[in-house]
Amino acid sequence: MMGCTVAALAMIAAPSGGFNPLAISSFPANCQFGVASWYGPGFQGRETASGPPFDMNAMTCAHRQLPLGTSVRVTNLLNRRSLILRVNDRGPYVGGRVLDVSRGAAKSLGFLGAGLAPVRIEILTYPPHCITVQPGLTILASARNHANP
């Protein structure tokens, strides 16, 4: 078993001239890689972290840390389909996953049947209440007066 693992890692690391999703050095700092899942019927109509009810057919996603309202391009690394989604909820709450997408988004990205897919997440725009100080560092600005809580 150890030999198979070493052989597989050697094949992945070897330059092949083809697409290697693990070779991320050529991607900008605003990218994240990981496993995405989808959610839908059990959450339909429930309030999202951003307020509006969840629509399983909308092009939205849930991320643990990105500011609500952030636009991201999600690319399925198995078929290279990509889609622009808006972060409107928090999650996923299952370990080892970086993103939950709506049922409609999973269908468009081609992993509705599989349930999971390796993805690349590229941050396109932050919502207006965020200030980008430098690549990879974003500050949430608040209109609340902190002098008079």
Side-chain angles (χ1 to χ4, degrees), residues 1-69:
M1 184 157 154
M2 183 67 147
C4 291
T5 303
V6 171
L9 289 173
M11 287 174 50
I12 289 171
S16 63
F19 177 71
N20 181 355
L22 299 177
I24 61 173
S25 61
S26 62
F27 293 107
N30 65 341
C31 285
Q32 182 180 15
F33 291 82
V35 175
S37 54
W38 66 270
Y39 66 129
F43 295 89
Q44 181 67 16
R46 294 170 93 185
E47 185 177 354
T48 60
S50 61
F54 175 67
D55 178 357
M56 68 179 181
N57 297 307
M59 295 297 119
T60 59
C61 61
H63 192 279
R64 286 187 201 97
Q65 298 158 337
L66 287 175
L68 298 172

Side-chain angles (χ1 to χ4, degrees), residues 47-146:
E47 185 177 354
T48 60
S50 61
F54 175 67
D55 178 357
M56 68 179 181
N57 297 307
M59 295 297 119
T60 59
C61 61
H63 192 279
R64 286 187 201 97
Q65 298 158 337
L66 287 175
L68 298 172
T70 300
S71 291
V72 294
R73 176 180 291 118
V74 179
T75 303
N76 180 339
L77 297 176
L78 296 177
N79 61 19
R80 295 189 185 186
R81 289 187 194 177
S82 76
L83 195 58
I84 296 174
L85 304 176
R86 186 175 48 82
V87 177
N88 75 334
D89 212 353
R90 291 293 174 222
Y93 296 108
V94 175
R97 298 183 192 168
V98 297
L99 195 70
D100 265 343
V101 302
S102 65
R103 182 186 186 281
K107 185 176 181 181
S108 294
L109 289 167
F111 72 91
L112 186 63
L116 301 171
V119 296
R120 179 178 68 219
I121 304 164
E122 298 171 82
I123 299 168
L124 300 178
T125 61
Y126 288 107
H129 63 275
C130 292
I131 302 167
T132 302
V133 179
Q134 62 187 15
L137 177 61
T138 300
I139 298 172
L140 294 177
S142 173
R144 183 175 172 201
N145 183 350
H146 292 284

